[in-house]
């Protein structure tokens, strides 16, 4: 099998963050290690040579990385489309102008809900007003602007209000991303998981808003894994199109892959990115279709969803080689039903 050509690099610059969101996708145990700018620059050069055209600077909070402007400038020099994924909390107007001047193309700003009280409660900090201020600065710069809201039981009933807030803040794009139960969210899923009715009503509200705002604001609704009968193609398949580099420099196929203990991921501290991408045993482990067992091996969707999420298979079934439990054909699909039962028990206990 030939090595696929990636088009996106997700660079996690640091795991440091002032917020305490209960759905955070970062590892529960977070290293404080960060890569020096020189290694990141070399990694960006390698990524560009591999065919990467998009650079997503993420975290944690990437604004806490001292040499952020330097990396943006390098990405811009290489012709990459540079996106900053941020809470916005540490940002100042002056620094935003500097980031734009360095070559930043796009900002994805997170917010937790449509109201100050609920948003601050979810974030674990009083930051709603600050985020709205930052959004106004972003709008003034003319940068492409996505507002990202992670949906869960505490806010999913307010999709119309969230859409109204996005309109008010001047977002070009609204991403309504249902919680994916990995990282910290996996431990908190019984408290975060909405009902099927809530999911359906939220989706319908998003669809109505999408039609009303067509041509003015794009609205993306990312469906959750726990409510379907077929899995998503997680990251477009394992180590196919996305490269994910952690603050420690380890090269992953997705942000959660280190949850699978049998895999050892190489670091750009020790080897070049191109070499890792082509020959890393961990990246080759689930790349393509040869690793698949039944029912994936003979499934007509195997080249569409690639067996679903390997991390979810490990977390729910204890085996990263089984079909994603989100799939109705997976031998571990009963684990999904168990999670729904767990949530019902927790809600009754709270009453």
């Amino acid at each position: 099998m030939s090595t696929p050509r990636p088009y996106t690099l997700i660079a996690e610059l640091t795991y440091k963050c002032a917020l305490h969101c209960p759905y955070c996708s970062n590892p529960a145990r977070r290293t404080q290690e960060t890569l020096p700018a020189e290694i990141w620059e070399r990694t960006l050069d390698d990524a560009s040579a591999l065919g990467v055209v998009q650079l997503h600077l993420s975290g944690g909070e990437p604004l806490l990385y001292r040499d952020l402007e330097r990396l943006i400038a390098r990405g811009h020099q290489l012709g990459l489309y540079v996106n900053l994924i941020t809470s916005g909390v540490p940002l100042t107007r002056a620094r935003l102008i500097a980031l734009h001047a360095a070559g930043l193309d796009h900002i994805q700003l997170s917010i937790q809900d449509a109201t100050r009280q609920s948003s601050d409660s979810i974030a674990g900090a009083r930051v709603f007003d600050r985020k709205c201020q930052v959004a106004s600065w972003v709008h003034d710069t003319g940068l492409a602007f996505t507002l990202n809201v992670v949906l869960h039981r505490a806010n999913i009933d307010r999709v119309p209000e969230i859409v109204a807030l996005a309109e008010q803040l001047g977002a070009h794009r609204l991403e309504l991303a249902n919680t994916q139960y990995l990282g910290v969210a996996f431990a908190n899923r019984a408290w975060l998981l909405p009902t099927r009715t809530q999911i359906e009503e939220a989706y319908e509200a998003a669809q109505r808003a999408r039609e009303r705002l067509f041509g003015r604001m794009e609205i993306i609704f990312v469906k959750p894994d726990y409510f379907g009968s077929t899995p998503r193609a997680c990251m477009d398949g394992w180590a196919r199109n996305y490269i994910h580099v952690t603050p420690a420099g380890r090269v992953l196929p997705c942000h959660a892959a280190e949850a699978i203990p049998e895999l050892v991921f190489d670091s750009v501290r020790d080897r070049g990115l191109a070499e890792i991408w082509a020959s890393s045993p961990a990246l080759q482990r689930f790349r393509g279709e040869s690793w698949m067992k039944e029912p994936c091996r003979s499934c007509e969707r195997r080249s569409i969803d690639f067996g679903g999420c390997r991390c979810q298979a490990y977390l729910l079934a204890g085996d990263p080689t089984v079909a994603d439990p989100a799939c109705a054909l997976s031998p571990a699909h009963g684990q999904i039903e168990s999670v729904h039962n767990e949530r019902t028990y927790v809600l009754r206990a709270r009453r």
Side-chain angles (χ1 to χ4, degrees):
M1 181 186 69
S2 61
T3 303
R5 175 177 173 171
Y7 65 80
T8 298
L9 172 64
I10 301 172
E12 286 187 320
L13 303 182
T14 176
Y15 285 143
K16 294 178 182 178
C17 182
L19 307 187
H20 305 281
C21 304
Y23 50 77
C24 184
S25 60
N26 289 157
R29 294 182 179 180
R30 306 177 194 180
T31 177
Q32 296 301 306
E33 187 177 1
T34 57
L35 289 176
E38 292 79 8
I39 295 180
W40 272 122
E41 287 180 322
R42 186 188 72 204
T43 301
L44 297 186
D45 293 347
D46 289 349
S48 178
L50 277 170
V52 164
V53 295
Q54 297 178 6
L55 170 62
H56 298 283
L57 299 167
S58 181
E61 176 48 70
L63 288 166
L64 298 177
Y65 185 76
R66 183 181 59 187
D67 293 314
L68 177 61
E69 288 84 347
R70 179 174 167 180
L71 301 189
I72 290 173
R74 187 56 156 259
H76 179 72
Q77 180 185 6
L78 292 166
L80 305 180
Y81 186 85
V82 184
N83 173 37
L84 179 66
I85 302 172
T86 177
S87 71
V89 174
L91 193 60
T92 64
R93 181 191 286 270
R95 193 175 189 200
L96 176 61
I97 293 170
L99 296 173
H100 192 194
L104 185 65
D105 296 294
H106 182 279
I107 282 189
Q108 178 178 307
L109 178 69
S110 69
I111 205 160
Q112 281 66 37
D113 205 342
T115 67
R116 178 187 299 108
Q117 181 177 359
S118 178
S119 186
D120 288 349
S121 175
I122 294 166
R126 295 181 178 178
V127 292
F128 179 80
D129 291 341
R130 179 67 172 180
K131 287 172 175 281
C132 292
Q133 177 68 76
V134 168
S136 71
W137 296 339
V138 173
H139 181 265
D140 291 344
T141 66
L143 279 165
F145 171 29
T146 292
L147 190 70
N148 173 269
V149 182
V150 177
L151 298 180
H152 44 82
R153 183 165 55 86
N155 64 7
I156 197 168
D157 295 328
R158 287 187 287 278
V159 165
E161 290 86 350
I162 291 170
V163 171
L165 177 64
E167 289 184 82
Q168 177 187 332
L169 296 178
H172 302 116
R173 183 173 180 269
L174 172 62
E175 182 174 295
L176 299 167
N178 278 277
T179 300
Q180 304 300 334
Y181 297 98
L182 305 167
V184 175
F186 182 74
N188 293 327
R189 63 186 177 178
W191 305 98
L192 294 169
L193 197 69
T195 65
R196 188 176 300 276
T197 297
Q198 285 180 301
I199 293 287
E200 292 170 351
E201 291 178 351
Y203 178 72
E204 291 171 2
Q207 284 290 89
R208 291 192 297 270
R210 181 185 290 121
E211 294 171 4
R212 177 175 63 83
L213 294 169
F214 180 78
R216 287 186 285 159
M217 183 170 68
E218 181 183 11
I219 298 179
I220 306 297
F221 188 91
V222 181
K223 293 184 178 180
D225 288 349
Y226 279 39
F227 292 89
S229 58
T230 58
R232 295 179 303 115
C234 185
M235 305 299 287
D236 291 342
W238 183 276
R240 290 184 67 248
N241 296 327
Y242 287 82
I243 306 174
H244 197 107
V245 182
T246 73
R250 287 185 287 276
V251 181
L252 314 180
C254 70
H255 67 275
E258 289 183 292
I260 304 175
E262 70 185 56
L263 300 179
V264 178
F265 294 97
D266 296 306
S267 173
V268 292
R269 287 185 181 273
D270 307 315
R271 302 168 64 196
L273 182 64
E275 181 184 357
I276 294 173
W277 180 253
S279 63
S280 164
L283 296 187
Q284 292 180 346
R285 179 66 180 88
F286 300 112
R287 183 182 273 162
E289 302 175 14
S290 62
W291 62 272
M292 293 180 181
K293 302 187 294 189
E294 294 294 348
C296 297
R297 183 179 292 276
S298 59
C299 180
E300 62 183 13
R301 289 181 53 87
R302 67 184 180 278
S303 60
I304 299 172
D305 59 37
F306 301 97
C309 179
R310 300 298 88 221
C311 304
Q312 189 156 267
Y314 173 74
L315 289 171
L316 289 176
D319 182 356
T321 70
V322 302
D324 186 339
C327 179
L329 300 177
S330 173
H333 187 63
Q335 294 294 328
I336 295 289
E337 192 62 35
S338 296
V339 173
H340 289 296
N341 292 338
E342 173 191 0
R343 177 196 177 278
T344 301
Y345 175 80
V346 168
L347 292 181
R348 286 175 177 169
R350 291 186 71 184
R351 295 193 190 107

